[in-house]
Amino acid sequence: MASALALHGGAWRRWALPLLALLFVLLGPLLPSFQLTLANNIGLAALTTLGLVLLTGVAGMTSFGQAAFVGLGAYTCAYLSAVPSLPAWLQPLAGSHWSALLLGLVLTLAIAAVLGALTLRLSGHFLPLGTICWGLALFYLFGTLEVLGAHTGLSGLPALSVGPWLLDKPEKMFVLIWVTVLGALLLVHNLLDSRSGRAIRALNGGQAMADSMGVPVFRAKLTAFMLSAALACVSGWLYACNQRFVSPAPFSLGAGIDYLFMALIGGSGQLWGAVLGAGVVTLARDLLQDSLPKLLGSSGSYDAIVFGVLIVLLMQRAPWGLAGWMVRRWPRRRPAVAPASGPVDALPRRTLPARGQTVLQVRGLTRRFGGLVANRDLNLDLKAGEILAVIGPNGAGKSTLFNQLSCVDQPSSGEIEFCGQNVRGWGARRIAAAGLSRTFQHVKLLPSMSVLENVAIGAHLRGRQGLLPSALRLDRREEHALLAEAQRQLDRVGLGALAHAEAGNLALGQQRLLEIARALCADPAVLLLDEPAAGLRHQEKQALAELLQRLRAEGMAVLLVEHDMDFVMNLVDRIVVVVFGEKIAEGLPQDIQQNDQVLDAYLGASA
């Protein structure tokens, strides 16, 4: 009985929001005229803000130019509808709102691709400054071109038709606007709950990790930027169809800042924060504009002052926004993903090199940072089916060596061969695809994502489904296979029961195990582990040692850096000792323990 009630309650929670949304769309046209206009404005702002939530809250890139993309959609619609003398090649599209939508999307995506290629390589405060520049440029372009009506704008746009229905009244446009908003929310939600979505989510604080797991970081950034621009374009097209008049004012830099405020106030980390933020800002601004002149006895922009103070207070009390505050106050306890309804396909496995074959060879490796030499003339070999440890005091250059082996960094001189190929000049994604996976000295994970989703990032290169199948939910078979593989690797490292916990809530030792599971999810031939036993308890170290021994028995090559000498000496086949960037010894564990040069170096380092 209890289980039946639980299932019934779960089904109700799953269907409650869609039912409320349907009820809103059906009853919305019955609102009074003024409230209906506000609701339409909220819907248009929510669609634009949804793009900013995707770009800023999810992908971690700030843009002040979102209003310019709204203008591109609006002006494309107005130009094809209201300009009497179109060029000959555009004459077949004259008067067609739907052709204007397609042309607007093509134009917006093309411009976004160019602007993204120019500005998304910027970092820090230079990126938002770059968006301000092109946002202003497009705004002044709208107000300068006479063919677009300059600052006067374009008026007299015909009403939009959907088949036999003429959407010539606000209540008719209400249905189209909000169906579009709800549809966009659903599509973006589906996208983020997928392989492609995890790549976009990994951009916010995990770019180095994502790159090492094979995620095409810049492509993911450009994808998020273009999707955000496309949502703004659709909003602009709906704006033109609703207002039937377009002028430059609504697409200014100030409007772009307003959209950013909506995302921040609503909660840039939650998709429905876009609707909440658009609603709160639009309604609050209308209320303040009506009430403040009556209260103060004079007209002026008092609403902007009060609104600014309220925003500052909200950012202090709830920096994650209203939606984020609500989620933290009333958290939802449910699995991150639905279980597969049928058998799950196993992902194809990599054929490992023959045992004893040299898979990683380093010759004369040197890395200079100005006058500092982090690695000097290093040589080492790693064979399939063996565990090799690199040990040395802090500052010996071990992590620098790992960064070069994983192609995160490039050597100043020397050669690195992986499975017989010279990898000099390769990127981290390319060597990850070739079969090398790694963990990091300082744990790199996405704390707000579940443990399972963090691990599934490691399997990115083992999936093929792209944006459109993900948004339309056509990727479920592959998605369940990727998540099943992530669960299998979590079980191997002993974290299976924590699959749906937030990764940021794990202890440090558990986070290191998560990183190992993520690296194994890539199905590597060579595994680089940077201090894997740090923070682990005794029993966890024993379990990790048993796991590494099983990997060695399967034919995988493991190269690890570790300071726990008991862990190292009882596990590895060979040891390389590095001090001040130079190799001073190499051999079996028992030989290294008795090496006078090694003992002297460590005594000197610890003195």
Side-chain angles (χ1 to χ4, degrees), residues 38-380:
L38 279 179
N40 284 345
N41 291 337
I42 291 171
L44 295 171
L47 189 58
T48 305
T49 306
L50 177 61
L52 270 184
V53 168
L54 175 64
L55 184 65
T56 301
V58 176
M61 296 176 285
T62 302
S63 173
F64 289 92
Q66 189 76 342
F69 291 129
V70 180
L72 284 174
Y75 269 104
T76 303
C77 180
Y79 181 70
L80 290 182
S81 302
V83 174
S85 55
L86 293 175
W89 64 279
L90 285 177
Q91 286 293 339
L93 307 180
S96 171
H97 290 82
W98 299 104
S99 297
L101 174 60
L102 293 176
L103 182 61
L105 283 171
V106 170
L107 180 63
T108 299
L109 291 174
I111 292 176
V114 174
L115 294 176
L118 294 174
T119 58
L120 295 183
R121 300 185 188 278
L122 302 174
S123 59
H125 59 276
F126 293 107
L127 174 58
L129 286 175
T131 66
I132 289 174
C133 293
W134 56 253
L136 283 171
L138 287 174
F139 167 67
Y140 285 118
L141 183 67
F142 296 148
T144 301
L145 294 178
E146 291 295 334
V147 71
L148 299 181
H151 287 286
T152 304
L154 297 172
S155 59
L157 278 67
L160 172 65
S161 296
V162 180
W165 295 284
L166 187 66
L167 307 186
D168 56 347
K169 296 181 180 179
E171 58 267 25
K172 295 180 181 179
M173 284 298 301
F174 173 91
V175 176
L176 178 61
I177 289 171
W178 279 99
V179 165
T180 304
V181 172
L182 296 175
L185 281 167
L186 178 62
L187 292 175
V188 175
H189 172 268
N190 290 347
L191 173 62
L192 295 181
D193 183 26
S194 71
R195 167 182 172 270
S196 299
R198 283 190 294 274
I200 293 174
R201 294 161 71 187
L203 298 174
N204 195 354
Q207 292 187 29
M209 174 273 294
D211 194 32
S212 293
M213 294 296 110
V215 173
V217 170
F218 184 76
R219 188 192 307 169
K221 293 170 72 172
L222 189 59
T223 296
F225 185 71
M226 293 175 68
L227 287 175
S228 176
L231 289 169
C233 172
V234 174
S235 176
W237 175 78
L238 287 169
Y239 170 86
C241 295
N242 184 52
Q243 296 293 114
R244 297 165 69 179
F245 166 75
V246 175
S247 66
F251 318 122
S252 65
L253 180 62
I257 295 174
D258 285 345
Y259 290 130
L260 196 56
F261 277 154
M262 291 177 188
L264 294 174
I265 290 171
S268 58
Q270 305 290 331
L271 295 184
W272 55 280
V275 179
L276 188 58
V280 168
V281 171
T282 303
L283 294 175
R285 176 166 290 152
D286 179 73
L287 178 64
L288 290 172
Q289 287 175 346
D290 283 346
S291 59
L292 287 178
K294 297 177 183 177
L295 183 65
L296 299 174
S298 61
S299 61
S301 299
Y302 300 113
D303 59 296
I305 300 172
V306 175
F307 203 70
V309 173
L310 291 175
I311 289 173
V312 172
L313 291 175
L314 181 63
M315 291 298 99
Q316 289 180 341
R317 297 292 182 178
W320 46 83
L322 295 175
W325 177 81
M326 293 169 68
V327 167
R328 283 164 173 76
R329 189 170 180 83
W330 298 289
R332 293 174 296 171
R333 300 185 181 277
R334 61 176 179 84
V337 291
S341 57
V344 177
D345 298 334
L347 294 177
R349 300 292 304 276
R350 186 188 308 276
T351 301
L352 296 177
R355 182 177 297 276
Q357 177 182 333
T358 300
V359 291
L360 192 63
Q361 187 177 71
V362 177
R363 292 291 180 265
L365 190 71
T366 300
R367 183 66 174 102
R368 297 184 179 88
F369 297 95
L372 173 66
V373 181
N375 295 141
R376 186 191 300 275
D377 199 26
L378 286 179
N379 299 297
L380 62 84

Side-chain angles (χ1 to χ4, degrees), residues 12-29 31 39 174-186 272 275:
W12 165 248
R13 285 192 296 271
R14 185 166 59 252
W15 288 102
L17 192 57
L19 288 173
L20 287 173
L22 178 61
L23 189 64
F24 174 71
V25 171
L26 293 176
L27 298 182
L31 291 170
F174 173 91
V175 176
L176 178 61
I177 289 171
W178 279 99
V179 165
T180 304
V181 172
L182 296 175
L185 281 167
L186 178 62
W272 55 280
V275 179

Side-chain angles (χ1 to χ4, degrees), residues 417-432:
E417 286 192 3
F418 178 71
C419 293
Q421 292 183 284
N422 190 334
V423 302
R424 185 85 180 266
W426 284 23
R429 182 170 182 262
R430 184 176 177 185
I431 201 166

